[in-house]
Amino acid sequence: MAKPKEIANRPERLTGGHRLCAGCGAPINVRQVMSVCPGPAVVSVATGCLEVSTTIYPYTAWRDSMIHSAFENASATISGVETAYRALKKQGKVKEDMYFVAFGGDGGTYDIGLQSLSGAVERGHNFVYVCYDNGAYMNTGFQRSSATPCGAWTTTSPVGKEAAGKQQNRKDLTAILVAHDIPYAATASPHNFKDLMNKAEKAFTTPGPAFLNVISPCPRGWRTPGDQTIALAKEAVQSCYWPLYEVEYGKYKINYKPKGDKKTPVADWMKKQGRFAHLFKPGNEALLEDIQAYIDRKWEELLKKEECL
Amino acid sequence: MARKAITGNGAIALALKQVEPDVMAAYPITPQTEIAQNYAQFVADGAVKTEYIPVESEHSAMSAAIGSCAAGARTFTATSSQGFALMWEMLFIAASLRLPLTMPVITRALSGPINIHCDHSDSMGGRDCGWIQLYGEGAQEGYDNAIQAFRIAEHMEVRLPVMTMIDGFIISGAIGPVETLEDDEVKKFVGEYTTLNPLLNVANPVTVGAFDSLGGWYFEHKVAQNRAMDNAMKVIEEVGKDFGSLSGREYSHFKTHMIEDAEIVLVAIGSAAGNVKTMVDTLRAEGKKVGMLKVRTFRPFPYEQIRQALSNACVIGVMDRSDSYGAQGGPLFTEISAAMFGGETRPKMFNFIYGLGGRDIFPDDIRGAVETLEQAAAGEQVSQTRHYLNVREG
């Protein structure tokens, strides 16, 4: 990868002036990913915050070609674009080398967009799928998705007499993508920009489909101050809520292993977010323990996967 | 020009092969499957330059077709019934992005209950999604319309997607004679594809499908879309004439049979038009003043011209192969009624719904419909409500 200073001097491919919230993780992630894209790109964006805030007609914040068609089909749409590229390149009607990338939030990826993503990966289209995961449907308010962590309050996993936020654990989407035998899959976080950009560059240069799952703190939904986005992303990684790892052709590699007291309790990270506030009232101790136990189990599983796969 | 014994699906697959678009995205569904698999074979044999995307659903078929067409490639897909319904959301988006896609639709009943046979519930249900709709009577028209669709869709004053219908199984799976053109004639007729603002133009990146909601231009975009439909009216006729000079088979928005002096006119669409025409000939031989109008263009609907063509009729019977729940009649009936409402004289109008879920229609059913119309012509009181042909009542 080029030196960070050199990358920082490249022209921005997602310009300022878009209307994403102050402190939103999505544009930070997009800019880091696009900064290492080796050539002109076509970007397909699922319906969501990123799409509505960057393409308010008649304006656009994208300097690459961008297409949005619907919520659940960013992958199918980019499949078509990428195939058209191969067809026209073969006929000599397009000369340049081009790259293809799809961005979706967790709702558009873990839930409604999963079929379309699975199909496109199975067919082996040469594209990068980037999920910016903030753990809920944010564009429409703040509703649960299958990426919402256990215990989080959302308007469709509310807190009441019978329920303390979301009752289920998150879907392990990266594992689902790995099960597709995808050439490259990785998780990343914007606080570790070198790691993220390194992975994005690998994703762009790996032939065939590649998948990046990037944590994307959301000040509005998480009920956190806008200037804490990067700190919260970092703590998510240190608590092993969001481990950093990559899988190349089925081979696991963990990129950051917090040792000893560097692995922070997940409750410390949760305490800083309004969406978990109810869990810190007396009576919810057992639930907090369950959440920690789940995080620990998944982390242990990952360590084992790295060892044997 | 060659004469082939071929199925309706085979004829359409051949037409598409002769056009040889850049990209096809498709998911197989009965009774369209033969098109998807014939074309897959052309690709596998290297007989076409087309790239084939074997998607995982019809929703993705239409999504990938949208991506491909927006990228700048000449693109098509094909569908039927539930597949059409699954594409539903994306059909509107394809039209709103003004993408000149083409799609043969092999008409079939919609679930539920599940039924694989022919009716027009699928395509008629999609009449307001912004696509141009052309209906064919048989395999020949399926072949001819599939070719013309590219010229119409890609015309610079139109730039709208076009779907071309033939009736499932009755036409799609039946072998019959089809006059085919030579490959180079077809290629010359459709011409080179010219893109507008493609995604793959590196020198001029574009944003397609922007968010048009905050003090936006959504209303103006919709009006522009409908004006493009207005423009399509004359383009469809021009292309139909050109196709006539090439093939000897000229096309317009509709075709009439013995309506000049007809007091009673039956209006039909799709494969049943052939049955109706035969019955008209039989009834004429019996001295009855009966005629037929066969609709080809359903969107945009040629109100003005149809009103003129039907202006001498006293009684009109409209035959629909789909129903519209809670409406006064099937989709064709409400269109024809609306067209006639603007005329000076107001004929009596009756709706005959037939053939749902592949139910056969027999000559006697059509004769029965004409008898109902004759009673009305003679001044008898006839119920204006929907009439169902060959349905088991009670």
Side-chain angles (χ1 to χ4, degrees):
Chain A
M1 196 180 76
K3 290 201 167 86
K5 199 174 165 185
E6 190 203 311
I7 292 170
N9 283 325
R10 290 177 187 165
E12 289 286 358
R13 297 171 76 156
L14 179 73
T15 68
H18 60 70
R19 298 197 207 173
L20 285 150
C21 303
C24 174
I28 304 172
N29 285 322
V30 170
R31 288 170 61 233
Q32 291 193 18
V33 168
M34 293 309 293
S35 70
V36 293
C37 179
V42 179
V43 183
S44 160
V45 186
T47 307
C49 298
L50 178 65
E51 167 264 323
V52 300
S53 304
T54 57
T55 68
I56 298 171
Y57 187 86
Y59 306 106
T60 181
W62 296 90
R63 287 206 170 127
D64 290 282
S65 275
M66 181 273 193
I67 180 165
H68 160 253
S69 64
F71 191 9
E72 66 280 48
N73 61 352
S75 310
T77 306
I78 204 75
S79 297
V81 177
E82 187 261 353
T83 307
Y85 168 75
R86 277 187 284 115
L88 299 179
K89 190 114 197 256
K90 199 169 66 180
Q91 296 171 41
K93 290 179 181 166
V94 174
K95 304 269 186 274
E96 300 83 357
D97 286 334
M98 292 185 76
Y99 295 83
F100 303 92
V101 55
F103 287 99
D106 48 280
T109 311
Y110 286 69
D111 292 337
I112 197 167
L114 185 58
Q115 173 187 308
S116 153
L117 172 59
S118 174
V121 169
E122 184 270 332
R123 292 190 301 274
H125 293 281
N126 190 18
F127 78 117
V128 179
Y129 192 99
V130 184
C131 173
Y132 63 101
D133 182 340
N134 53 31
Y137 294 86
M138 304 296 185
N139 191 38
T140 45
F142 184 46
Q143 294 91 34
R144 99 192 266 288
S145 80
S146 62
T148 302
C150 184
W153 168 85
T154 73
T155 55
T156 51
S157 60
V159 177
K161 227 166 47 189
E162 301 294 331
K166 196 192 176 208
Q167 305 286 291
Q168 305 83 12
N169 284 312
R170 289 159 48 77
K171 187 188 278 182
D172 189 350
L173 180 68
T174 312
I176 293 171
L177 268 296
V178 172
H180 283 73
D181 220 7
I182 189 169
Y184 185 76
T187 63
S189 162
H191 85 277
N192 190 341
F193 62 88
K194 253 181 105 168
D195 180 70
L196 168 55
M197 292 195 286
N198 202 14
K199 286 169 174 171
E201 193 171 76
K202 263 192 202 173
F204 280 119
T205 51
T206 301
F211 175 74
L212 295 179
N213 204 352
V214 191
I215 191 168
S216 193
C218 168
R220 279 290 299 132
W222 292 17
R223 302 286 193 258
T224 51
D227 62 358
Q228 291 303 299
T229 294
I230 296 300
L232 285 163
K234 185 175 180 182
E235 203 168 339
V237 172
Q238 274 177 330
S239 66
C240 294
Y241 167 82
W242 193 268
L244 298 184
Y245 63 98
E246 58 191 337
V247 188
E248 283 182 77
Y249 296 102
K251 175 121 190 72
Y252 277 76
K253 184 185 171 192
I254 302 172
N255 309 104
Y256 175 70
K257 287 181 193 168
K259 295 208 175 73
D261 58 0
K262 282 271 170 92
K263 182 173 182 294
T264 52
V266 72
D268 290 2
W269 175 70
M270 291 164 72
K271 215 178 277 177
K272 291 170 185 156
Q273 303 172 47
R275 62 177 172 157
F276 296 115
H278 56 284
L279 295 180
F280 294 94
K281 288 180 184 150
N284 287 318
E285 295 79 3
L287 188 53
L288 281 172
E289 278 172 29
D290 286 351
I291 292 170
Q292 183 64 54
Y294 172 75
I295 301 285
D296 292 344
R297 175 167 69 80
K298 291 297 282 183
W299 174 242
E300 291 300 322
E301 271 176 18
L302 187 62
L303 291 169
K304 279 183 202 147
K305 279 182 184 170
E306 186 188 39
E307 232 170 79
C308 64
L309 290 174
Chain B
M1 197 88 72
R3 197 169 155 87
K4 287 191 172 71
I6 195 167
T7 63
N9 276 336
I12 289 174
L14 176 64
L16 294 164
K17 177 185 179 230
Q18 293 180 314
V19 173
E20 207 182 350
D22 303 307
V23 174
M24 174 207 198
Y27 190 75
I29 179 165
T30 300
Q32 165 266 76
T33 306
E34 198 185 354
I35 296 179
Q37 63 196 22
N38 280 12
Y39 212 87
Q41 191 66 51
F42 299 146
V43 175
D45 291 341
V48 286
K49 64 176 185 207
T50 313
E51 292 281 337
Y52 178 25
I53 319 177
V55 278
E56 83 291 346
S57 76
E58 287 89 349
H59 193 285
S60 286
M62 189 44 63
S63 304
I66 286 170
S68 168
C69 198
R74 185 180 259 163
T75 309
F76 76 96
T77 181
T79 200
S80 288
S81 185
Q82 299 305 114
F84 187 100
L86 188 53
M87 284 180 179
W88 179 258
E89 179 196 24
M90 303 316 298
L91 294 176
F92 284 80
I93 292 174
S96 77
L97 296 178
R98 305 287 301 274
L99 299 174
L101 291 165
T102 74
M103 175 167 77
V105 176
I106 315 306
T107 56
R108 171 190 144 187
L110 284 177
S111 294
I114 187 167
N115 179 303
I116 60 162
H117 297 293
C118 173
D119 70 31
H120 297 160
S121 311
D122 48 5
S123 60
M124 284 296 176
R127 66 191 181 271
D128 287 337
C129 63
W131 285 55
I132 289 166
Q133 291 199 332
L134 303 176
Y135 284 79
E137 180 184 324
Q140 184 70 62
E141 293 187 5
Y143 172 87
D144 294 347
N145 283 339
I147 295 168
Q148 291 173 68
F150 289 90
R151 274 273 298 271
I152 297 162
E154 293 165 9
H155 193 284
M156 279 301 162
E157 285 171 38
V158 179
R159 303 305 278 198
L160 286 174
V162 178
M163 60 176 86
T164 57
M165 272 57 74
I166 59 164
D167 284 358
F169 293 109
I170 300 165
I171 303 301
S172 69
I175 296 175
V178 175
E179 299 271 353
T180 59
L181 299 163
E182 298 302 322
D183 292 0
D184 57 340
E185 288 178 315
V186 173
K187 288 217 168 58
K188 207 174 148 208
F189 179 79
V190 296
E192 275 285 308
Y193 177 48
T194 314
T195 64
L196 266 184
N197 303 317
L199 292 166
L200 297 179
N201 181 353
V202 171
N204 182 32
V206 288
T207 289
V208 174
F211 181 56
D212 195 7
S213 187
L214 295 180
W217 291 79
Y218 182 87
F219 197 170
E220 285 73 17
H221 282 143
K222 293 288 120 182
V223 172
Q225 222 177 299
N226 214 3
R227 293 197 172 134
M229 269 286 179
D230 294 341
N231 297 345
M233 203 75 90
K234 73 171 187 329
V235 172
I236 293 167
E237 283 192 306
E238 282 166 18
V239 172
K241 274 203 184 83
D242 274 7
F243 192 80
S245 325
L246 172 67
S247 65
R249 296 182 298 276
E250 193 173 310
Y251 283 83
S252 186
H253 296 306
F254 55 87
K255 217 173 195 167
T256 59
H257 182 62
M258 299 198 167
I259 62 164
E260 289 71 23
D261 63 337
E263 288 165 2
I264 291 171
V265 177
L266 281 171
V267 179
I269 193 164
S271 63
N275 308 44
V276 173
K277 187 170 172 242
T278 306
M279 184 46 69
V280 164
D281 291 344
T282 307
L283 295 168
R284 280 278 174 177
E286 293 170 14
K288 295 179 174 169
K289 286 190 169 176
V290 184
M292 182 190 74
L293 185 145
K294 175 178 81 172
V295 175
R296 175 189 182 227
T297 310
F298 191 77
R299 282 290 180 271
F301 196 79
Y303 290 96
E304 206 61 56
Q305 295 179 17
I306 284 186
R307 182 191 303 144
Q308 272 170 22
L310 294 176
S311 59
N312 294 330
C314 310
V315 183
I316 298 170
V318 182
M319 297 184 51
D320 268 289
R321 202 169 200 130
S322 58
D323 210 342
S324 181
Y325 310 103
Q328 209 179 345
L332 187 56
F333 177 74
T334 49
E335 294 294 345
I336 300 283
S337 303
M340 299 317 291
F341 188 82
E344 308 228 325
T345 54
R346 198 86 39 92
K348 291 178 181 166
M349 306 274 309
F350 297 89
N351 190 200
F352 299 96
I353 291 168
Y354 69 99
L356 301 188
R359 175 64 50 86
D360 283 327
I361 179 162
F362 296 101
D364 277 353
D365 298 324
I366 300 166
R367 184 185 278 277
V370 172
E371 279 165 11
T372 305
L373 301 176
E374 282 175 321
Q375 286 164 15
E380 288 177 39
Q381 272 293 340
V382 177
S383 163
Q384 291 273 344
T385 56
R386 301 179 299 260
H387 298 256
Y388 294 97
L389 300 181
N390 194 17
V391 69
R392 291 187 287 258
E393 300 278 12

